[in-house]
Amino acid sequence: MAVKELKVVLLYLVAFTFSSVAGKIIHVNKCPEETQAYGTVVSVDITPCPSEPCVFKKGSVANGTITFKSQEQITNDSLIKVYGKLPSLPWLPFPLDQPKACTGHGLECPLKPNVEYKTVISLEIKDAYPSTQLIAKMEMLDQNGKYVFCFEFPARIASSSEIIVSN
């Protein structure tokens, strides 16, 4: 009987571990200023994000896999940018280790028109960031500074103890 109970406990622990690091294809909104974007976002998968809004734990790394299509060729000079918007403040940039879209994000440029690509954006959620609700924004700009894509989604930054209390 004890072995059977132990197996059940281990099964729950494994399921909890996988669910706590699970990604989720999230719903995003086009950026209001994105009127001239020529790319199409097919899907956005954020890890970890078991439910919306995504809660990013301080001291962790958030990963976004964006599947998209561009209607024009994109060269090595394209950029990826990430921002956060707090209430009553302007957009604040979240620095990426590598802002060039074709370096370290899983893309090999030049990108051809009308082909589906996946890019991965990793962002360290620093302990110094405030615990807060925000709107996250991700954008890709081509070699001419034109939007390939831009989208926003609600998120929250929290410490481990805040996440445990809120779930």
Side-chain angles (χ1 to χ4, degrees):
M1 188 69 153
V3 171
K4 185 177 179 182
E5 290 172 357
L6 180 60
K7 286 181 181 177
V8 170
V9 169
L10 286 174
L11 180 64
Y12 280 115
L13 285 173
V14 169
F16 175 76
T17 300
F18 283 114
S19 70
S20 67
V21 296
K24 176 178 171 70
I25 294 178
I26 64 167
H27 301 285
V28 297
N29 297 311
K30 284 186 174 183
C31 299
E33 66 273 14
E34 190 199 4
T35 57
Q36 300 300 317
Y38 58 79
T40 304
V41 173
V42 176
S43 67
V44 177
D45 184 354
I46 303 291
T47 305
C49 183
S51 63
E52 292 181 60
C54 296
V55 178
F56 301 125
K57 185 178 94 173
K58 293 179 185 185
S60 70
V61 174
N63 295 294
T65 301
I66 297 95
T67 304
F68 71 98
K69 285 184 180 181
S70 173
Q71 294 174 359
E72 296 182 21
Q73 182 170 310
I74 299 171
T75 69
N76 287 328
D77 296 325
S78 58
L79 298 173
I80 292 179
K81 297 182 179 183
V82 178
Y83 298 90
K85 174 104 172 79
L86 303 172
S88 71
L89 288 176
W91 287 103
L92 302 170
F94 282 98
L96 296 173
D97 288 338
Q98 180 50 260
K100 290 188 175 187
C102 299
T103 305
H105 297 288
L107 297 174
E108 291 186 28
C109 290
L111 303 183
K112 296 177 183 175
N114 302 311
V115 175
E116 195 169 280
Y117 292 96
K118 289 182 187 266
T119 186
V120 178
I121 301 170
S122 296
L123 179 67
E124 180 184 0
I125 310 300
K126 298 181 180 178
D127 289 324
Y129 293 161
S131 294
T132 188
Q133 303 246 357
L134 68 139
I135 301 296
K137 176 167 80 168
M138 293 185 184
E139 60 187 31
M140 182 173 176
L141 303 170
D142 72 6
Q143 59 276 5
N144 299 313
K146 295 184 346 188
Y147 283 109
V148 178
F149 63 75
C150 181
F151 60 86
E152 301 173 357
F153 62 95
R156 185 166 68 94
I157 296 174
S159 66
S160 295
S161 62
E162 293 167 323
I163 293 171
I164 291 169
V165 169
S166 66
N167 285 342

